[in-house]
Amino acid sequence: MKTTENQMSEYSLLKPLFSSLLNEVKELSKKKPDDAINNFKAKTINKILERVKKLLADEPTIEFLDIIDIDSLPSNSDIVIIMVQFEAALAKFYYKYTKGSKWSSNRQWDTDEDDE
């Protein structure tokens, strides 16, 4: 399986942003799991989730990925569930399009440009 340089760059941009945001939401959920997320946080999270969905548009996991419904503003714990699905989809994408030992932090992207 191969990916493009653009997909690799987009993943490299989004993954750390997504991970730090997920950590913050998890902490918030531990303190107040049933509180509804506010509109600002939902929009901020959705900016990342929408870009991740675009990156994963051709992947089988896309059907399980939903952004936050701004009109209903789910609870903090609901947001964690949504984001954990995205986390799993990002991990699947990474392992699908990289080469190397599964447990290695030195995996290499398998890109279309490698064939040129």
Side-chain angles (χ1 to χ4, degrees):
M1 293 275 148
K2 296 186 184 281
T3 189
T4 65
E5 289 285 337
N6 287 341
Q7 288 172 311
M8 182 184 74
S9 294
E10 186 72 353
Y11 177 91
S12 296
L13 170 72
L14 293 172
K15 180 65 167 113
L17 294 170
F18 174 85
S19 294
S20 63
L21 200 53
L22 177 56
N23 288 336
E24 291 299 318
V25 172
K26 283 181 176 179
E27 285 301 313
L28 189 58
S29 180
K30 287 178 187 175
K31 295 175 186 172
K32 299 179 179 182
D34 296 325
D35 283 4
I37 192 165
N38 67 39
N39 204 336
F40 172 78
K41 288 178 186 143
K43 285 181 179 181
T44 301
I45 294 167
N46 273 348
K47 281 182 188 178
I48 302 291
L49 298 185
E50 287 167 353
R51 293 269 299 260
V52 172
K53 277 190 77 162
K54 187 175 178 183
L55 173 66
L56 303 176
D58 296 328
E59 301 300 316
T61 54
I62 193 69
E63 70 181 279
F64 303 103
L65 304 178
D66 294 315
I67 62 171
I68 299 165
D69 182 357
I70 299 292
D71 296 329
S72 69
L73 294 177
S75 71
N76 292 318
S77 60
D78 292 339
I79 301 299
V80 171
I81 291 171
I82 290 168
M83 292 185 73
V84 167
Q85 288 176 297
F86 275 82
E87 181 181 46
L90 280 168
K92 187 160 181 57
F93 178 86
Y94 178 76
Y95 285 110
K96 181 177 180 179
Y97 295 109
T98 58
K99 304 180 274 191
S101 171
K102 184 160 186 156
W103 308 113
S104 171
S105 60
N106 296 325
R107 292 179 64 84
Q108 299 294 313
W109 288 97
D110 192 7
T111 65
D112 290 332
E113 287 78 6
D114 292 340
D115 296 337
E116 295 175 1

